[in-house]
Amino acid sequence: FAKALDSALKGVSQLQQESSSMQRKYQFGADGVSLEDTMVAMQKAQIGFQAAVTVRNRLVSAYTDIMNMQV
């Protein structure tokens, strides 16, 4: 499970880095970087981040529930 979570977080980080890179390239007018591709990369990064936050919140909630169980 830890390996899968680590892999997913690295994937989100990679998407965010690609998005930032494309934004910079577009701002400086680099050839081959369109506004559409930049916007798609930004949306992918945003969706990946939101999914990671949702998973984190669920894990914290599950941990809290387990810790509050009476033994």
Side-chain angles (χ1 to χ4, degrees), residues 21-22 24-35 37-38:
S21 174
M22 288 188 77
R24 272 188 249 107
K25 288 178 184 177
Y26 181 77
Q27 288 173 346
F28 291 121
D31 293 334
V33 179
S34 68
L35 177 61
D37 292 338
T38 305

Side-chain angles (χ1 to χ4, degrees), residues 3-4 20 31 35 40 47 49 51 57:
K3 236 180 182 180
S20 295
D31 293 334
L35 177 61
V40 168
I47 290 169
F49 182 74
N57 290 343

Side-chain angles (χ1 to χ4, degrees), residues 6-28:
D6 184 51
S7 175
L9 291 176
K10 285 181 181 177
V12 169
S13 177
Q14 181 67 27
L15 286 173
Q16 289 179 333
Q17 289 174 356
E18 288 174 12
S19 172
S20 295
S21 174
M22 288 188 77
Q23 288 177 37
R24 272 188 249 107
K25 288 178 184 177
Y26 181 77
Q27 288 173 346
F28 291 121

